[in-house]
Amino acid sequence: MIYLDYAANTPVDEAVLNTFVETSTNYIANPNSSHRLGRQAKEELDLATEHIAKLVNVKPSEIIYTSGATESNNLAIKGIANEYRKNGKHIITTFLEHSSVTGAFTALQNDGYEVDFVDISRDGHVDLDHLKELLRTDTILVSICYVDSEIGIMQDVEKIANLIANYPNCYFHVDATQAIGKIPVCFDNIDLITFSPHKFYGLNGCGILIRKENVLIQPLIHGGISTTTFRSGTPMLAFATSTDKALTLALDDLDNKYKHVKQLNDKLRTSLSKYPKVSINSTNNSIPYILNISVKGVRGELFQDELEKLDIFISTKSACCHTNTASKPVYALTKDRKLAMSTLRISVNHMTTMEDIEGFLLGFDDCYKNLAK
Ligand code: PMP
């Protein structure tokens, strides 16, 4: 079996799973209970939160635990829109975003907000001149991913943040779900940041939203104070400790992991670009963990199914998208509907070996000969 779909999900690290089990076994109380067992659980929660905050260079009070990046994105986007609607109803995003961002934008549009999509340049970066044109005094939110989940393009979030800083009513949300644990990240001048540990060998069903301390959001889930008034529910202690463990492991030796993945990506790019019907959609701004290609004239799902018969697992788009539809990010980048209908996303990680890549390339060659005659 060759698994090259790490952008969709990573296997949970045994140490992370052990942390989850140990915390769940050792701490039975609700961290908000006022008895000794509750206080002990709260101390453990605070330790995990402080450590996570330190790892991503924010304050512990800025961490909000959620059920995943989908909830974090919804909370950030709807939370800002509802809190600051008095300042305006204009919001901006891109066609590179995950469906949990575009879905939240669509919901707000149906609720009377005005949505604009900023253009993507041919290199995959947000067109800063276009963003400048779109920004207005009543723009209250810009949401742009650090790295998109399909083409893997890393945006220049610092430049975008500097531009947005000229608009005091406008908040900047960054979905960093595909960035954390893969590349060094800097969250300066970003108001809200989303991520989710199942992308870096953590558990599914939990996520994080960082809300900088001067930023207010309306909650989606109302109730008691939990760890914060912005998201109610019994504090998720074992999710917090296991996320801390996953993040600690993921950030360890990031440089060497990156170098290894870059070698795998170089091999994939060189080998795949020799096929006349293959078009590499990932650009020079894409991180090496994600390689997006199109096999012209072959629907992505068809190619994916053929590879699956050989026990090779890749995806066509983000796992949250409907099948048999065009890839919105690839269309935004290439303006070519046929290319956008025939995408394949190959996503690797530091545990992927060169043998995995060679095995994939052999399988790819077989399928190409069958399907792309
Ligand atoms: N944003 C991005 C960029 C993603 O890749 C994903 C996962 N596919 C999500 C958000 C949603 O994450 P979750 O599964 O944790 O809700």
Side-chain angles (χ1 to χ4, degrees):
M1 192 263 281
I2 299 177
Y3 181 78
L4 301 178
D5 196 16
Y6 290 99
N9 200 47
T10 57
V12 63
D13 190 300
E14 213 181 311
V16 173
L17 204 52
N18 288 340
T19 302
F20 185 87
V21 173
E22 276 162 26
T23 305
S24 305
T25 312
N26 295 340
Y27 296 89
I28 57 162
N30 184 326
N32 282 344
S33 293
S34 52
H35 48 66
R36 182 162 47 87
L37 295 184
R39 285 195 301 279
Q40 283 169 350
K42 175 77 166 59
E43 268 168 34
E44 188 70 2
L45 179 65
D46 288 347
L47 280 178
T49 308
E50 276 159 28
H51 197 238
I52 293 171
K54 198 168 164 209
L55 289 172
V56 290
N57 202 20
V58 299
K59 296 181 179 152
S61 58
E62 296 176 332
I63 303 268
I64 301 175
Y65 294 106
T66 68
S67 64
T70 296
E71 185 189 328
S72 297
N73 283 339
N74 272 270
L75 177 56
I77 294 163
K78 294 176 186 166
I80 286 287
N82 290 331
E83 178 67 34
Y84 295 106
R85 62 196 305 159
K86 56 188 179 301
N87 295 341
K89 293 182 91 177
H90 182 230
I91 53 181
I92 300 174
T93 189
T94 80
F95 284 112
L96 295 177
E97 306 306 311
H98 184 261
S99 51
S100 54
V101 169
T102 46
F105 268 74
T106 307
L108 289 171
Q109 194 170 32
N110 293 338
D111 203 19
Y113 287 80
E114 189 187 345
V115 175
D116 267 314
F117 288 87
V118 61
D119 289 343
I120 303 302
S121 311
R122 196 59 192 89
D123 66 1
H125 272 170
V126 161
D127 181 337
L128 289 177
D129 291 331
H130 189 220
L131 181 58
K132 214 184 278 179
E133 272 172 42
L134 291 177
L135 281 163
R136 315 189 308 219
T137 51
D138 66 338
T139 309
I140 54 168
L141 174 69
V142 175
S143 179
I144 295 174
C145 49
Y146 214 119
V147 169
D148 76 275
S149 57
E150 293 199 17
I151 322 177
I153 290 159
M154 181 173 78
Q155 297 296 332
D156 193 338
V157 288
E158 199 183 324
K159 273 195 189 150
I160 299 171
N162 288 341
L163 190 55
I164 295 171
N166 297 319
Y167 294 81
N169 284 339
C170 185
Y171 293 90
F172 184 26
H173 166 244
V174 169
D175 179 353
T177 309
Q178 292 290 351
I180 294 219
K182 296 181 180 129
I183 52 167
V185 287
C186 171
F187 294 150
D188 294 351
N189 300 321
I190 304 176
D191 299 300
L192 296 135
I193 301 113
T194 292
F195 63 92
S196 174
H198 75 94
K199 304 294 185 187
F200 48 85
Y201 321 100
L203 286 162
N204 271 295
C206 53
I208 288 196
L209 176 64
I210 294 165
R211 175 204 57 92
K212 294 288 178 68
E213 62 184 350
N214 56 336
V215 181
L216 293 177
I217 47 172
Q218 289 279 327
L220 294 179
I221 298 173
H222 297 87
I225 59 162
S226 182
T227 55
T228 158
T229 51
F230 301 109
R231 205 273 189 188
S232 289
T234 300
M236 305 144 94
L237 175 56
F239 274 140
T241 55
S242 60
T243 296
D244 178 20
K245 187 74 182 176
L247 194 57
T248 305
L249 294 172
L251 297 182
D252 182 46
D253 208 17
L254 207 57
D255 273 6
N256 279 327
K257 289 176 188 163
Y258 185 94
K259 276 184 203 144
H260 172 68
V261 167
K262 174 87 172 62
Q263 279 175 356
L264 305 177
N265 182 280
D266 286 347
K267 171 79 180 162
L268 281 169
R269 278 182 186 251
T270 324
S271 306
L272 293 172
S273 55
K274 289 183 185 141
Y275 292 88
K277 289 191 180 166
V278 168
S279 184
I280 309 265
N281 299 318
S282 291
T283 74
N284 289 340
N285 292 320
S286 296
I287 61 167
Y289 287 77
I290 297 177
L291 183 70
N292 192 302
I293 67 166
S294 292
V295 183
K296 285 173 216 157
V298 184
R299 245 187 338 101
E301 282 76 11
L302 202 62
F303 213 108
Q304 181 192 32
D305 290 349
E306 281 301 296
L307 283 168
E308 186 184 316
K309 288 178 194 159
L310 303 172
D311 228 14
I312 297 173
F313 299 90
I314 62 161
S315 55
T316 57
K317 295 190 292 274
S318 158
C320 301
C321 292
H322 293 291
T323 49
N324 292 318
T325 54
S327 157
K328 284 197 187 113
V330 172
Y331 184 72
L333 181 74
T334 63
K335 309 287 181 295
D336 184 325
R337 191 157 295 281
K338 283 190 182 150
L339 281 186
M341 283 300 293
S342 56
T343 53
L344 298 177
R345 178 182 69 172
I346 306 144
S347 53
V348 299
N349 86 345
H350 63 279
M351 292 186 302
T352 310
T353 61
M354 200 48 101
E355 287 71 46
D356 290 331
I357 298 300
E358 276 155 11
F360 163 78
L361 288 169
L362 280 176
F364 180 91
D365 192 65
D366 268 4
C367 298
Y368 183 91
K369 281 177 186 145
N370 287 341
L371 298 170
K373 284 174 235 149

